Amino acid sequence: MRDIVLIALFALLGAAAAGVLGVGALWLLRRRSLTTSVSVVAAVAVTAMLAGTLAVAQAMFLSAHDLTVVTTVVAMAAVVSLATALLLGRWVVARSRELALAARDFGNGGDFFAPARPATAELADLSRELAATSAKLAESRNRERALESSRRELVAWISHDLRTPLAGLRAMSEALEDGVAADPARYLRQIRTEVERLNGMVGDLFELSRIHAGTLTLSPSRISLYDLIGDALAGADPLAREHGVRLVGDWIEPVPVEVDGKEMSRVLGNLLVNAIRRTPADGTVAVAAERSAEGVVLSVTDGCGGIPEDDLPRVFDTGWRGTHARTPPAGAGLGLAIVRGIVEAHQGRAAVRNVSGGCRFEVTLPMAEA
């Protein structure tokens, strides 16, 4: 038993010395390729075995012949180990280079395509993560392009919508200044109307900027949908009468919700104004509110004749107006974008779908806690 302990001790000391040298070599070569590191590990394993064997042989006073045999066996093992380490290192490095080239194309704005040849489990995991990141970045780039397109469209529409009332205001003010206005009172009323229109556009832009900047501050309180919708219907009634449109709000459940009353009134007001302006005379705009599995659903159904299926995903985009037949006489395509921003700030969801004779805008809000 004592001899075995001594043999183990001598072998440990010899292997430890080789291990220390190997750690030092790995530290010095830490910036080299993986092939070099794997070769060093293999060399350390063989050197540790050889050092331990020589230490034990020296302590046991083996004959020169026996020592030569042991050394030869260890040398052959070293050759095979180093050859295997080199092959493994070159294979892993080749797979790493293929992955690096694929990642380089991905970094230059392209899509990531994983190398077809097999790799280690770690490289395969890295490849899957890069593929997932590539998909997310592609989606982000598409969203950024769509947003940039919406912004350009918004600037174009805003420029157009501002130019028209400003030109009218200038003409009417000059007519009043020169004293050539046939009906000054009518001119003043028209000026006030245009000013209110411009004020509304500026308010919409300010609201949208707060939404995009994430600075929209909500003050939620417990409100009954019945009261919220009732106030919105009352506010939209004069516009509906002017356009000859009937407002219907018969199917409204008195469900409580935790919302900012001012902002949600703006949501309902925008939806009602949008529906009234797109519904022909003698048409109907229906408002409903009901419980669902996802929460509370507020809906506004109009008689616009429907929206082309290709345009449905863009309805809530900033600056979107659709076809000229659906273009409202006022506004800059901001109302529905504001609706989506406010609803999402309430952790809700805004959607639209076509129904018979028109389209149905739905706002889904979380149910208030009991």
Side-chain angles (χ1 to χ4, degrees), residues 318-344:
T318 302
W320 182 86
R321 292 191 179 189
T323 62
H324 291 289
R326 291 176 50 80
T327 302
L334 305 181
L336 293 179
I338 292 174
V339 166
R340 180 173 64 179
I342 294 175
V343 170
E344 290 180 352

Side-chain angles (χ1 to χ4, degrees), residues 132-179:
T133 303
S134 175
K136 292 178 181 178
L137 286 178
E139 182 181 353
S140 177
R141 285 194 295 267
N142 293 334
R143 187 164 55 247
E144 183 179 356
R145 293 191 191 101
L147 182 59
E148 184 62 27
S149 176
S150 297
R151 286 174 178 170
R152 288 196 297 267
E153 188 176 354
L154 172 62
V155 171
W157 280 111
I158 287 292
S159 301
H160 175 271
D161 286 348
L162 287 177
R163 187 182 295 112
T164 301
L166 287 175
L169 287 172
R170 179 178 181 179
M172 287 184 288
S173 62
E174 290 176 351
L176 290 172
E177 184 179 7
D178 295 339

Side-chain angles (χ1 to χ4, degrees), residues 301-312:
T301 305
D302 59 33
C304 67
I307 301 174
E309 293 294 331
D310 293 340
D311 287 343
L312 282 176

Side-chain angles (χ1 to χ4, degrees), residues 5 13 35 50 70 75-76 85 98-100 123 127 141 152 154 161 175 180 185 202 257 264 275 304 317 343 363 368:
V5 172
L13 292 175
T35 303
L50 179 59
V70 171
M76 293 302 101
E98 291 176 357
L99 191 60
L123 291 179
S127 179
R141 285 194 295 267
R152 288 196 297 267
L154 172 62
D161 286 348
V180 297
V202 172
V257 288
M264 284 308 301
C304 67
D317 289 351
V343 170
V363 171

Side-chain angles (χ1 to χ4, degrees), residues 15 18-19 21-27 29 33-49 77-78 81-86 88-89:
L21 293 176
V23 170
L26 286 175
W27 174 257
L29 300 173
S33 68
L34 182 62
T35 303
T36 303
S37 299
V38 173
S39 300
V40 170
V41 171
V44 168
V46 174
T47 304
M49 183 174 60
S81 298
L82 288 175
T84 304
L86 287 172
L88 174 62

Side-chain angles (χ1 to χ4, degrees), residues 277-303:
R277 284 177 173 165
R278 287 161 173 75
T279 300
D282 294 331
T284 300
V285 171
V287 183
E290 56 188 345
R291 292 181 174 90
S292 72
E294 299 178 351
V296 182
V297 178
L298 306 178
S299 64
V300 176
T301 305
D302 59 33

